[in-house]
């Protein structure tokens, strides 16, 4: 099995805030990420597809098609947006990286299946900062 990766970039703002908690508790748990005026990140999304190379092309997936798919289905919807306010699939959800990457999987998995003949979406890695990132395997 071969794993092929595509990295995309987007900028977005969010805040971590539980409306059921007091301002003090939100600040205690989320620190500066609970800033009332939001904060932003330069996110990196790595989409990993697994499969066997097509005998005619040698590709597991056409990376140009994968890039177009990721941009159309995810990046265009989150880039330069407020994740808490502007992104429909995050409505009513805590705008954590964990929740965000699960929503990305929900959106991307069926679309990746359409362009990969032998395999599918394997893993998503979402970097919030160079040192903080999450990985999701669709489980």
């Amino acid at each position: 099995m071969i794993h092929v990766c595509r990295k995309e970039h987007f900028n977005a703002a969010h805040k971590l805030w539980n409306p059921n908690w007091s301002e003090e508790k939100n600040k205690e748990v989320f620190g500066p990420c609970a800033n009332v005026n939001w904060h932003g990140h330069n996110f990196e999304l790595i989409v990993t597809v697994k499969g066997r190379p097509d005998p005619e092309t040698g590709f597991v997936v056409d990376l140009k098609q994968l890039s177009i798919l990721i941009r159309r289905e995810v990046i265009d919807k989150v880039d330069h947006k407020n994740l808490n306010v502007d992104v429909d699939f995050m409505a009513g959800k805590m705008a954590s990286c964990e929740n965000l990457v699960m929503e990305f999987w929900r959106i991307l998995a069926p679309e990746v299946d359409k362009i990969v003949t032998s395999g599918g979406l394997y893993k998503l890695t979402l970097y919030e900062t160079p040192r903080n990132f999450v990985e999701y395997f669709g489980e």
Side-chain angles (χ1 to χ4, degrees), residues 8 15 28-29 33 36 39 42 46 51 78 81 86 93 95-97 99 101-102 107 116 118 120 122 124 130 134:
E8 298 287 348
K15 75 174 170 182
E28 176 186 329
V29 172
C33 294
V36 69
H39 68 281
N42 298 312
I46 302 171
V78 296
K81 300 287 194 300
D86 301 325
K93 298 176 183 78
S96 66
C97 280
N99 286 334
V101 80
M102 288 191 300
I107 293 165
V116 177
S118 171
Y122 174 70
L124 295 179
V134 297

Side-chain angles (χ1 to χ4, degrees), residues 8-64:
E8 298 287 348
H9 175 86
F10 66 96
N11 298 338
H14 72 149
K15 75 174 170 182
L16 300 178
W17 186 270
N18 185 328
N20 298 317
W21 294 351
S22 67
E23 182 175 347
E24 294 76 26
K25 183 167 183 178
N26 273 289
K27 288 182 178 180
E28 176 186 329
V29 172
F30 300 123
C33 294
N35 183 343
V36 69
N37 291 317
W38 321 94
H39 68 281
H41 296 283
N42 298 312
F43 289 92
E44 299 285 346
L45 174 64
I46 302 171
V47 175
T48 304
V49 174
K50 70 176 180 180
R52 302 200 186 290
D54 180 286
E56 293 183 15
T57 65
F59 296 162
V60 170
V61 63
D62 180 325
L63 285 170
K64 182 174 182 174

Side-chain angles (χ1 to χ4, degrees), residues 125-137:
T125 306
L126 180 62
Y127 280 84
E128 184 178 62
T129 72
R131 294 185 303 237
N132 296 334
F133 63 96
V134 297
E135 295 181 319
Y136 187 58
F137 295 85

